[in-house]
Amino acid sequence: MLHIRPNQPKPAFEQRLAQEARRVRERAKTLPQGKERELLSRKARRLETASRLNEWLSSPGLQPPR
């Protein structure tokens, strides 16, 4: 979990997603092969995908539909 001091600005949403993905992936590496490890690996992939999608959606080059 992120520890942020009261006067410290929050990291960007993409950064928080990427940090959580790294944390979950590291936790999965410590587990033996099995269902729990697979579930954590999937969660990490979803978090990484969400981070990339959010970055893409908030990019200045994205054009609205016509």
Side-chain angles (χ1 to χ4, degrees):
M1 178 110 292
L2 294 174
H3 298 285
I4 299 174
R5 295 176 189 205
N7 295 336
Q8 189 178 16
K10 285 174 113 179
F13 183 62
E14 297 89 15
Q15 291 174 325
R16 293 193 314 266
L17 286 172
Q19 287 172 348
E20 182 66 7
R22 282 191 297 274
R23 187 189 68 75
V24 169
R25 192 169 300 284
E26 289 301 316
R27 171 74 177 119
K29 287 180 183 178
T30 65
L31 297 173
Q33 292 289 335
K35 186 174 184 175
E36 187 177 0
R37 181 177 179 163
E38 180 61 30
L39 290 174
L40 286 175
S41 293
R42 287 180 187 178
K43 181 177 181 176
R45 282 194 302 271
R46 285 193 306 267
L47 287 164
E48 290 167 350
T49 301
S51 176
R52 280 185 251 132
L53 280 172
N54 192 61
E55 182 180 352
W56 176 72
L57 289 172
S58 60
S59 70
L62 186 63
Q63 298 292 318
R66 293 180 187 199

